PDB file of all heavy atoms in Angstrom:
ATOM      1  N   LYS T 126      75.228 122.165 134.699  1.00 97.00           N
ATOM      2  CA  LYS T 126      75.886 121.172 133.842  1.00 97.00           C
ATOM      3  C   LYS T 126      75.245 121.116 132.457  1.00 97.00           C
ATOM      4  O   LYS T 126      75.942 120.960 131.451  1.00 97.00           O
ATOM      5  CB  LYS T 126      75.861 119.787 134.487  1.00 97.00           C
ATOM      6  CG  LYS T 126      76.731 119.667 135.698  1.00 97.00           C
ATOM      7  CD  LYS T 126      78.193 119.795 135.331  1.00 97.00           C
ATOM      8  CE  LYS T 126      79.044 119.625 136.567  1.00 97.00           C
ATOM      9  NZ  LYS T 126      80.398 120.106 136.389  1.00 97.00           N
ATOM     10  N   LEU T 127      73.920 121.230 132.386  1.00 98.00           N
ATOM     11  CA  LEU T 127      73.255 121.262 131.081  1.00 98.00           C
ATOM     12  C   LEU T 127      73.719 122.469 130.274  1.00 98.00           C
ATOM     13  O   LEU T 127      74.024 122.359 129.081  1.00 98.00           O
ATOM     14  CB  LEU T 127      71.734 121.289 131.255  1.00 98.00           C
ATOM     15  CG  LEU T 127      71.079 119.961 131.647  1.00 98.00           C
ATOM     16  CD1 LEU T 127      69.672 120.204 132.171  1.00 98.00           C
ATOM     17  CD2 LEU T 127      71.071 119.005 130.463  1.00 98.00           C
ATOM     18  N   LEU T 128      73.789 123.624 130.921  1.00 98.00           N
ATOM     19  CA  LEU T 128      74.236 124.834 130.233  1.00 98.00           C
ATOM     20  C   LEU T 128      75.695 124.718 129.807  1.00 98.00           C
ATOM     21  O   LEU T 128      76.055 125.109 128.683  1.00 98.00           O
ATOM     22  CB  LEU T 128      74.039 126.060 131.130  1.00 98.00           C
ATOM     23  CG  LEU T 128      72.593 126.486 131.336  1.00 98.00           C
ATOM     24  CD1 LEU T 128      72.482 127.480 132.483  1.00 98.00           C
ATOM     25  CD2 LEU T 128      72.020 127.060 130.051  1.00 98.00           C
ATOM     26  N   GLU T 129      76.538 124.189 130.664  1.00 98.00           N
ATOM     27  CA  GLU T 129      77.946 124.025 130.298  1.00 98.00           C
ATOM     28  C   GLU T 129      78.098 123.101 129.098  1.00 98.00           C
ATOM     29  O   GLU T 129      78.931 123.340 128.223  1.00 98.00           O
ATOM     30  CB  GLU T 129      78.750 123.511 131.497  1.00 98.00           C
ATOM     31  CG  GLU T 129      78.925 124.561 132.575  1.00 98.00           C
ATOM     32  CD  GLU T 129      79.521 124.030 133.867  1.00 98.00           C
ATOM     33  OE1 GLU T 129      79.604 122.779 134.039  1.00 98.00           O
ATOM     34  OE2 GLU T 129      79.875 124.860 134.727  1.00 98.00           O
ATOM     35  N   ARG T 130      77.286 122.057 129.040  1.00 98.00           N
ATOM     36  CA  ARG T 130      77.334 121.144 127.884  1.00 98.00           C
ATOM     37  C   ARG T 130      76.871 121.862 126.623  1.00 98.00           C
ATOM     38  O   ARG T 130      77.459 121.702 125.555  1.00 98.00           O
ATOM     39  CB  ARG T 130      76.473 119.902 128.155  1.00 98.00           C
ATOM     40  CG  ARG T 130      76.474 118.900 127.022  1.00 98.00           C
ATOM     41  CD  ARG T 130      77.892 118.342 126.795  1.00 98.00           C
ATOM     42  NE  ARG T 130      77.921 117.446 125.669  1.00 98.00           N
ATOM     43  CZ  ARG T 130      78.312 117.789 124.435  1.00 98.00           C
ATOM     44  NH1 ARG T 130      78.723 119.016 124.176  1.00 98.00           N
ATOM     45  NH2 ARG T 130      78.309 116.909 123.464  1.00 98.00           N
ATOM     46  N   ALA T 131      75.823 122.665 126.735  1.00 98.00           N
ATOM     47  CA  ALA T 131      75.339 123.447 125.597  1.00 98.00           C
ATOM     48  C   ALA T 131      76.399 124.438 125.130  1.00 98.00           C
ATOM     49  O   ALA T 131      76.637 124.596 123.924  1.00 98.00           O
ATOM     50  CB  ALA T 131      74.047 124.182 125.971  1.00 98.00           C
ATOM     51  N   HIS T 132      77.079 125.082 126.065  1.00 98.00           N
ATOM     52  CA  HIS T 132      78.143 126.036 125.719  1.00 98.00           C
ATOM     53  C   HIS T 132      79.278 125.332 124.986  1.00 98.00           C
ATOM     54  O   HIS T 132      79.802 125.840 123.994  1.00 98.00           O
ATOM     55  CB  HIS T 132      78.703 126.708 126.974  1.00 98.00           C
ATOM     56  CG  HIS T 132      77.696 127.468 127.748  1.00 98.00           C
ATOM     57  ND1 HIS T 132      77.886 127.777 129.072  1.00 98.00           N
ATOM     58  CD2 HIS T 132      76.485 127.973 127.411  1.00 98.00           C
ATOM     59  CE1 HIS T 132      76.837 128.446 129.518  1.00 98.00           C
ATOM     60  NE2 HIS T 132      75.974 128.571 128.520  1.00 98.00           N
ATOM     61  N   SER T 133      79.665 124.174 125.489  1.00 97.00           N
ATOM     62  CA  SER T 133      80.738 123.404 124.873  1.00 97.00           C
ATOM     63  C   SER T 133      80.371 123.010 123.440  1.00 97.00           C
ATOM     64  O   SER T 133      81.194 123.124 122.526  1.00 97.00           O
ATOM     65  CB  SER T 133      81.016 122.160 125.723  1.00 97.00           C
ATOM     66  OG  SER T 133      81.960 121.336 125.113  1.00 97.00           O
ATOM     67  N   TYR T 134      79.142 122.559 123.260  1.00 97.00           N
ATOM     68  CA  TYR T 134      78.682 122.175 121.926  1.00 97.00           C
ATOM     69  C   TYR T 134      78.715 123.380 120.977  1.00 97.00           C
ATOM     70  O   TYR T 134      79.216 123.293 119.858  1.00 97.00           O
ATOM     71  CB  TYR T 134      77.258 121.600 122.001  1.00 97.00           C
ATOM     72  CG  TYR T 134      76.748 121.157 120.661  1.00 97.00           C
ATOM     73  CD1 TYR T 134      76.990 119.863 120.218  1.00 97.00           C
ATOM     74  CD2 TYR T 134      76.043 122.025 119.837  1.00 97.00           C
ATOM     75  CE1 TYR T 134      76.535 119.445 118.976  1.00 97.00           C
ATOM     76  CE2 TYR T 134      75.590 121.618 118.599  1.00 97.00           C
ATOM     77  CZ  TYR T 134      75.834 120.326 118.172  1.00 97.00           C
ATOM     78  OH  TYR T 134      75.389 119.926 116.933  1.00 97.00           O
ATOM     79  N   ALA T 135      78.198 124.514 121.443  1.00 97.00           N
ATOM     80  CA  ALA T 135      78.175 125.722 120.607  1.00 97.00           C
ATOM     81  C   ALA T 135      79.596 126.171 120.263  1.00 97.00           C
ATOM     82  O   ALA T 135      79.893 126.535 119.122  1.00 97.00           O
ATOM     83  CB  ALA T 135      77.413 126.838 121.324  1.00 97.00           C
ATOM     84  N   ARG T 136      80.478 126.125 121.240  1.00 96.00           N
ATOM     85  CA  ARG T 136      81.885 126.505 121.018  1.00 96.00           C
ATOM     86  C   ARG T 136      82.522 125.589 119.978  1.00 96.00           C
ATOM     87  O   ARG T 136      83.173 126.056 119.040  1.00 96.00           O
ATOM     88  CB  ARG T 136      82.634 126.431 122.351  1.00 96.00           C
ATOM     89  CG  ARG T 136      83.911 127.204 122.399  1.00 96.00           C
ATOM     90  CD  ARG T 136      84.531 127.209 123.802  1.00 96.00           C
ATOM     91  NE  ARG T 136      83.728 127.968 124.750  1.00 96.00           N
ATOM     92  CZ  ARG T 136      83.036 127.440 125.762  1.00 96.00           C
ATOM     93  NH1 ARG T 136      83.063 126.147 126.000  1.00 96.00           N
ATOM     94  NH2 ARG T 136      82.335 128.206 126.578  1.00 96.00           N
ATOM     95  N   ASP T 137      82.314 124.275 120.124  1.00 96.00           N
ATOM     96  CA  ASP T 137      82.865 123.307 119.175  1.00 96.00           C
ATOM     97  C   ASP T 137      82.290 123.495 117.775  1.00 96.00           C
ATOM     98  O   ASP T 137      82.933 123.156 116.788  1.00 96.00           O
ATOM     99  CB  ASP T 137      82.604 121.872 119.644  1.00 96.00           C
ATOM    100  CG  ASP T 137      83.404 121.506 120.884  1.00 96.00           C
ATOM    101  OD1 ASP T 137      84.337 122.260 121.258  1.00 96.00           O
ATOM    102  OD2 ASP T 137      83.087 120.464 121.490  1.00 96.00           O
ATOM    103  N   ASP T 138      81.085 124.036 117.700  1.00 94.00           N
ATOM    104  CA  ASP T 138      80.416 124.289 116.428  1.00 94.00           C
ATOM    105  C   ASP T 138      80.894 125.594 115.786  1.00 94.00           C
ATOM    106  O   ASP T 138      80.475 125.932 114.690  1.00 94.00           O
ATOM    107  CB  ASP T 138      78.895 124.327 116.638  1.00 94.00           C
ATOM    108  CG  ASP T 138      78.126 124.415 115.355  1.00 94.00           C
ATOM    109  OD1 ASP T 138      78.357 123.573 114.455  1.00 94.00           O
ATOM    110  OD2 ASP T 138      77.300 125.335 115.218  1.00 94.00           O
TER     111      ASP T 138
END
Side-chain angles (χ1 to χ4, degrees):
K126 291 293 182 197
L127 284 164
L128 289 166
E129 289 171 348
R130 181 63 183 98
H132 300 159
S133 175
Y134 181 89
R136 200 174 292 111
D137 291 348
D138 187 53

